[in-house]
Amino acid sequence: MLALFGLFALLAQSGNYVTYRLMRDLKNHGAEGAAVFLREEYASGPNNRMYFAVHLEEGASQREFHEYMPEAPGPVGTVVPVVHDTRNPKRARTGLRKDMDFDKERPVVLLVGGAGVVLLMVGLLLCVLAVAI
């Protein structure tokens, strides 16, 4: 039973883990640049999906990425600051590098993920001991 709780905890925080890793990598190794607002797409909930194209050096193909925002940053064609991964420009976030904040995801990843790993290991250990006895 503990192993199932641990597995559930790991699955529950997996989205926060992905967001945390992306934000941490962008803050530590991302390149600042600019992106052009392309279009807005309706999504259920309070935020809509906004599409942007990252400006890259001359000759490189433009890479699109999207973010969920409550309102558009301006009319189509608006240039916004962006931090992107140089290896994969689709991994990008609007804003400046110094303003990136991933402090909300870190405690969830550490607490829920750490507890999930401990519960999973203890549950598996108890299963192995029960089979061995």
Side-chain angles (χ1 to χ4, degrees):
M1 191 63 133
L2 290 176
L4 289 176
F5 284 137
L7 185 62
F8 177 71
L10 289 173
L11 290 175
Q13 65 85 34
S14 63
N16 287 344
Y17 178 72
V18 170
T19 302
Y20 169 73
R21 289 293 305 236
L22 172 66
M23 296 293 279
R24 189 182 75 175
D25 288 347
L26 286 178
K27 184 162 179 94
N28 294 334
H29 307 292
E32 289 188 347
V36 176
F37 175 58
L38 298 176
R39 66 186 180 280
E40 177 179 3
E41 189 174 275
Y42 175 76
S44 61
N47 297 330
N48 291 332
R49 188 178 299 136
M50 309 295 171
Y51 287 88
F52 299 90
V54 177
H55 276 287
L56 299 172
E57 62 274 351
E58 291 298 322
S61 62
Q62 299 297 321
R63 299 296 178 132
E64 274 190 27
F65 72 96
H66 69 273
E67 273 191 34
Y68 291 96
M69 300 175 150
E71 59 186 42
V76 173
T78 302
V79 177
V80 295
V82 69
V83 178
H84 66 89
D85 187 346
T86 55
R87 295 167 293 178
N88 187 358
K90 287 182 78 169
R91 294 183 193 156
R93 291 281 188 241
T94 57
L96 300 173
R97 190 180 194 170
K98 65 179 179 168
D99 297 334
M100 296 185 85
D101 182 27
F102 55 91
D103 292 336
K104 292 181 282 189
E105 284 82 13
R106 183 181 174 143
V108 173
V109 168
L110 294 178
L111 182 65
V112 178
V117 168
V118 169
L119 287 173
L120 184 64
M121 291 299 138
V122 169
L124 291 176
L125 180 65
L126 289 175
C127 288
V128 169
L129 290 176
V131 170
I133 293 178

